[in-house]
Amino acid sequence: MNVVTRFAPSPTGFLHIGGARTALFNWLIARHYGGRYLLRIEDTDRQRSTDEAVAAIYDGLDWLGLASDEPAISQSARADRHVEIANSLIAAGAAYRCYLSTDELKDVRAAAKSAGLPFRSPWRDRTDAPTQPTHQQPSQNQPSQYHSFVVRMKMPDEGSTTITDLVQGEVTVQNRILDDMVILRADGTPTYMLAVVVDDHDMGITHVIRGDDHLNNAFRQTMVYRSMGWDVPEFAHLPLIHGVDGAKLSKRHGALGVGAYRDQGYLADAMLNYLLRLGWSHGDDEMISRAQAIDWFSLDAVGRAPARFDPEKLADLNAHYLRAMDDDSLYALILPKITPVSLAAKARITTLMPLLRDRAKSHLDIVDAAGFLLHDGAPELDESARTLLDQAACARLVALMQAAPETDWNVEMFQTFLGEWLTANDVKMKDIGLPLRAAVTGTRQSPSIVDVIVALGREETIRRVEETCKKQGFEI
């Protein structure tokens, strides 16, 4: 099967979650069948389309690994081709020039709505219209009311149109409900309804995979295909994505552009895996690699009900991917955002990486949690840590450090020593653990304090305890 798919976003903002999933499904179908996956920027709305939005789309797709197999096509650059096809449709009797003025258009539309009928312009069957082939200025002999026109498709009044959608199944509409849609505006620019068909045909698109908010458009666009004698592609209309409350997905549900998730520390593979599971499933499999997705993906496994975007589930999945990474890869990921002051500081991070990773939902959580490891000497204390340190606490910490073995520390050895010291001195762990954590990390939140001080090492731990207590004004 020679499959060609496309992702065709409008560059009016960032690459949002729904668009990214549509791109992914198009990419997967092309990869599954060994076909091509293309990108088209639908920028005919020049007032809303921006270069920044186009750049954001490229950036988001590149991050997800969904870049086009060929250079992207700009829809606005193909306007001449769209006009050419509009004129061909006029010549074939499938479209016509409509010279209704603004006031006349309102009246005709209101009358059709009142009668429960589709919009039909009185110009669809008139033969007295000017014959200029393009939107040129009319001659002096032409009546002023004919100075501008739009081009409309001449929709059939009888019969029905059926689409066998690869997701929605067989869907039928009666042709009599279809308005005579505009395909060229009065200024000669094509509408989306014409441009998308011409571009999909010229690009050789075999499968149009998009959101189900375009399902009604498919019937109208089918008329253009048939009128031109072109093959109609396979359609697959994906249910839209909703929030956890079942309402249409919006920013209030935590739905951001994919670039924002990258900036928040999410991994591309985790995001791709999560998008894949929004409306598609493969048994009970949750973590699915790209290779598995390509092998398993099919449109008949896409559900018809709206998927629900849950930021907490995305975060949990991202945590799974973090835990699956090896320590070296994870260190390389956080390295651009940290600055260890010494080789010893770097060693501390790699030593504690398994514990830091297990507490994190994103690699930025690791960056935040590793701050106390990056420097040598006393940490900066946050407000919660200061409340844990007083003269008595510092005295106990110094006594503990003085009694600690002078050999290299390891977890098992230090746990044994600490238990014996607590018993011998009639001290509770809660009276030593939190102050010790505060003194060496600057906060009350960290991985196991024994793991922390073993990673810091004997010399650095003692140094931090003594410097911290002195900086707080306590005698040691």
Side-chain angles (χ1 to χ4, degrees), residues 406-422:
E406 295 185 3
T407 59
D408 290 337
W409 295 349
N410 62 60
V411 171
E412 183 178 359
M413 177 272 289
F414 197 89
Q415 283 177 332
T416 300
F417 156 72
L418 181 59
E420 293 173 348
W421 186 89
L422 291 172

mmCIF file of all heavy atoms in Angstrom, residues 406-422:
data_model
loop_
_atom_site.group_PDB
_atom_site.id
_atom_site.type_symbol
_atom_site.label_atom_id
_atom_site.label_comp_id
_atom_site.label_asym_id
_atom_site.label_seq_id
_atom_site.Cartn_x
_atom_site.Cartn_y
_atom_site.Cartn_z
ATOM 1 N N GLU A 406 36.477 7.040 61.642
ATOM 2 C CA GLU A 406 37.362 7.849 60.815
ATOM 3 C C GLU A 406 37.710 7.162 59.505
ATOM 4 O O GLU A 406 38.553 7.628 58.747
ATOM 5 C CB GLU A 406 38.642 8.173 61.602
ATOM 6 C CG GLU A 406 38.375 9.043 62.809
ATOM 7 C CD GLU A 406 39.650 9.470 63.513
ATOM 8 O OE1 GLU A 406 40.753 9.132 63.007
ATOM 9 O OE2 GLU A 406 39.561 10.141 64.553
ATOM 10 N N THR A 407 37.064 6.061 59.205
ATOM 11 C CA THR A 407 37.249 5.357 57.932
ATOM 12 C C THR A 407 36.253 5.905 56.908
ATOM 13 O O THR A 407 35.371 6.715 57.230
ATOM 14 C CB THR A 407 37.017 3.850 58.113
ATOM 15 O OG1 THR A 407 35.672 3.656 58.601
ATOM 16 C CG2 THR A 407 38.002 3.271 59.106
ATOM 17 N N ASP A 408 36.390 5.469 55.651
ATOM 18 C CA ASP A 408 35.398 5.846 54.632
ATOM 19 C C ASP A 408 34.046 5.277 55.011
ATOM 20 O O ASP A 408 33.929 4.105 55.399
ATOM 21 C CB ASP A 408 35.823 5.310 53.264
ATOM 22 C CG ASP A 408 37.040 6.026 52.708
ATOM 23 O OD1 ASP A 408 37.281 7.167 53.142
ATOM 24 O OD2 ASP A 408 37.732 5.443 51.854
ATOM 25 N N TRP A 409 33.013 6.114 54.865
ATOM 26 C CA TRP A 409 31.682 5.695 55.275
ATOM 27 C C TRP A 409 30.979 4.947 54.138
ATOM 28 O O TRP A 409 31.123 5.283 52.961
ATOM 29 C CB TRP A 409 30.831 6.904 55.663
ATOM 30 C CG TRP A 409 31.326 7.634 56.872
ATOM 31 C CD1 TRP A 409 32.290 7.220 57.744
ATOM 32 C CD2 TRP A 409 30.869 8.903 57.343
ATOM 33 N NE1 TRP A 409 32.477 8.129 58.730
ATOM 34 C CE2 TRP A 409 31.615 9.192 58.534
ATOM 35 C CE3 TRP A 409 29.921 9.816 56.922
ATOM 36 C CZ2 TRP A 409 31.422 10.350 59.266
ATOM 37 C CZ3 TRP A 409 29.726 10.978 57.653
ATOM 38 C CH2 TRP A 409 30.469 11.256 58.813
ATOM 39 N N ASN A 410 30.195 3.959 54.533
ATOM 40 C CA ASN A 410 29.237 3.352 53.613
ATOM 41 C C ASN A 410 27.913 3.239 54.340
ATOM 42 O O ASN A 410 27.854 3.408 55.573
ATOM 43 C CB ASN A 410 29.717 1.994 53.082
ATOM 44 C CG ASN A 410 29.896 0.953 54.185
ATOM 45 O OD1 ASN A 410 28.949 0.605 54.895
ATOM 46 N ND2 ASN A 410 31.145 0.474 54.351
ATOM 47 N N VAL A 411 26.842 2.974 53.631
ATOM 48 C CA VAL A 411 25.504 3.031 54.210
ATOM 49 C C VAL A 411 25.347 2.037 55.353
ATOM 50 O O VAL A 411 24.866 2.384 56.446
ATOM 51 C CB VAL A 411 24.436 2.786 53.120
ATOM 52 C CG1 VAL A 411 23.040 2.633 53.750
ATOM 53 C CG2 VAL A 411 24.425 3.932 52.115
ATOM 54 N N GLU A 412 25.718 0.811 55.134
ATOM 55 C CA GLU A 412 25.528 -0.218 56.161
ATOM 56 C C GLU A 412 26.324 0.120 57.429
ATOM 57 O O GLU A 412 25.804 0.029 58.554
ATOM 58 C CB GLU A 412 25.960 -1.582 55.617
ATOM 59 C CG GLU A 412 25.726 -2.726 56.595
ATOM 60 C CD GLU A 412 26.106 -4.076 56.016
ATOM 61 O OE1 GLU A 412 26.543 -4.114 54.839
ATOM 62 O OE2 GLU A 412 25.975 -5.081 56.728
ATOM 63 N N MET A 413 27.574 0.531 57.251
ATOM 64 C CA MET A 413 28.413 0.858 58.392
ATOM 65 C C MET A 413 27.841 2.028 59.179
ATOM 66 O O MET A 413 27.755 1.980 60.415
ATOM 67 C CB MET A 413 29.830 1.185 57.916
ATOM 68 C CG MET A 413 30.786 1.604 59.032
ATOM 69 S SD MET A 413 30.744 3.398 59.368
ATOM 70 C CE MET A 413 31.529 4.009 57.908
ATOM 71 N N PHE A 414 27.424 3.084 58.459
ATOM 72 C CA PHE A 414 26.953 4.269 59.172
ATOM 73 C C PHE A 414 25.616 4.011 59.861
ATOM 74 O O PHE A 414 25.359 4.541 60.950
ATOM 75 C CB PHE A 414 26.853 5.469 58.232
ATOM 76 C CG PHE A 414 26.783 6.767 58.970
ATOM 77 C CD1 PHE A 414 27.940 7.436 59.311
ATOM 78 C CD2 PHE A 414 25.569 7.319 59.366
ATOM 79 C CE1 PHE A 414 27.899 8.631 60.030
ATOM 80 C CE2 PHE A 414 25.511 8.508 60.078
ATOM 81 C CZ PHE A 414 26.682 9.163 60.414
ATOM 82 N N GLN A 415 24.759 3.207 59.240
ATOM 83 C CA GLN A 415 23.484 2.889 59.895
ATOM 84 C C GLN A 415 23.724 2.144 61.212
ATOM 85 O O GLN A 415 23.060 2.408 62.222
ATOM 86 C CB GLN A 415 22.613 2.032 58.957
ATOM 87 C CG GLN A 415 21.941 2.820 57.846
ATOM 88 C CD GLN A 415 21.151 1.933 56.902
ATOM 89 O OE1 GLN A 415 21.477 0.751 56.720
ATOM 90 N NE2 GLN A 415 20.132 2.509 56.285
ATOM 91 N N THR A 416 24.686 1.214 61.196
ATOM 92 C CA THR A 416 25.014 0.472 62.416
ATOM 93 C C THR A 416 25.570 1.412 63.481
ATOM 94 O O THR A 416 25.148 1.387 64.654
ATOM 95 C CB THR A 416 26.035 -0.634 62.111
ATOM 96 O OG1 THR A 416 25.484 -1.530 61.146
ATOM 97 C CG2 THR A 416 26.407 -1.398 63.381
ATOM 98 N N PHE A 417 26.519 2.266 63.071
ATOM 99 C CA PHE A 417 27.094 3.225 64.015
ATOM 100 C C PHE A 417 26.019 4.156 64.581
ATOM 101 O O PHE A 417 25.959 4.403 65.791
ATOM 102 C CB PHE A 417 28.185 4.056 63.323
ATOM 103 C CG PHE A 417 28.411 5.382 63.971
ATOM 104 C CD1 PHE A 417 29.046 5.467 65.211
ATOM 105 C CD2 PHE A 417 27.948 6.565 63.382
ATOM 106 C CE1 PHE A 417 29.230 6.708 65.840
ATOM 107 C CE2 PHE A 417 28.132 7.789 64.004
ATOM 108 C CZ PHE A 417 28.773 7.866 65.233
ATOM 109 N N LEU A 418 25.148 4.676 63.716
ATOM 110 C CA LEU A 418 24.137 5.643 64.158
ATOM 111 C C LEU A 418 23.190 5.012 65.171
ATOM 112 O O LEU A 418 22.851 5.621 66.193
ATOM 113 C CB LEU A 418 23.355 6.174 62.945
ATOM 114 C CG LEU A 418 22.277 7.223 63.239
ATOM 115 C CD1 LEU A 418 22.896 8.447 63.925
ATOM 116 C CD2 LEU A 418 21.561 7.637 61.953
ATOM 117 N N GLY A 419 22.765 3.768 64.900
ATOM 118 C CA GLY A 419 21.873 3.092 65.840
ATOM 119 C C GLY A 419 22.518 2.906 67.191
ATOM 120 O O GLY A 419 21.874 3.121 68.244
ATOM 121 N N GLU A 420 23.782 2.525 67.196
ATOM 122 C CA GLU A 420 24.483 2.326 68.457
ATOM 123 C C GLU A 420 24.671 3.647 69.193
ATOM 124 O O GLU A 420 24.535 3.712 70.425
ATOM 125 C CB GLU A 420 25.841 1.660 68.195
ATOM 126 C CG GLU A 420 25.710 0.224 67.668
ATOM 127 C CD GLU A 420 27.053 -0.368 67.244
ATOM 128 O OE1 GLU A 420 28.031 0.409 67.152
ATOM 129 O OE2 GLU A 420 27.110 -1.593 66.994
ATOM 130 N N TRP A 421 24.978 4.706 68.458
ATOM 131 C CA TRP A 421 25.200 6.021 69.083
ATOM 132 C C TRP A 421 23.910 6.540 69.698
ATOM 133 O O TRP A 421 23.912 7.087 70.810
ATOM 134 C CB TRP A 421 25.736 7.003 68.042
ATOM 135 C CG TRP A 421 26.127 8.334 68.622
ATOM 136 C CD1 TRP A 421 27.346 8.670 69.125
ATOM 137 C CD2 TRP A 421 25.281 9.490 68.769
ATOM 138 N NE1 TRP A 421 27.345 9.974 69.583
ATOM 139 C CE2 TRP A 421 26.080 10.510 69.374
ATOM 140 C CE3 TRP A 421 23.965 9.769 68.462
ATOM 141 C CZ2 TRP A 421 25.575 11.764 69.673
ATOM 142 C CZ3 TRP A 421 23.450 11.024 68.767
ATOM 143 C CH2 TRP A 421 24.248 12.018 69.356
ATOM 144 N N LEU A 422 22.784 6.389 68.981
ATOM 145 C CA LEU A 422 21.498 6.851 69.500
ATOM 146 C C LEU A 422 21.153 6.134 70.798
ATOM 147 O O LEU A 422 20.701 6.752 71.771
ATOM 148 C CB LEU A 422 20.393 6.621 68.464
ATOM 149 C CG LEU A 422 20.442 7.480 67.200
ATOM 150 C CD1 LEU A 422 19.408 6.993 66.183
ATOM 151 C CD2 LEU A 422 20.209 8.950 67.528
#
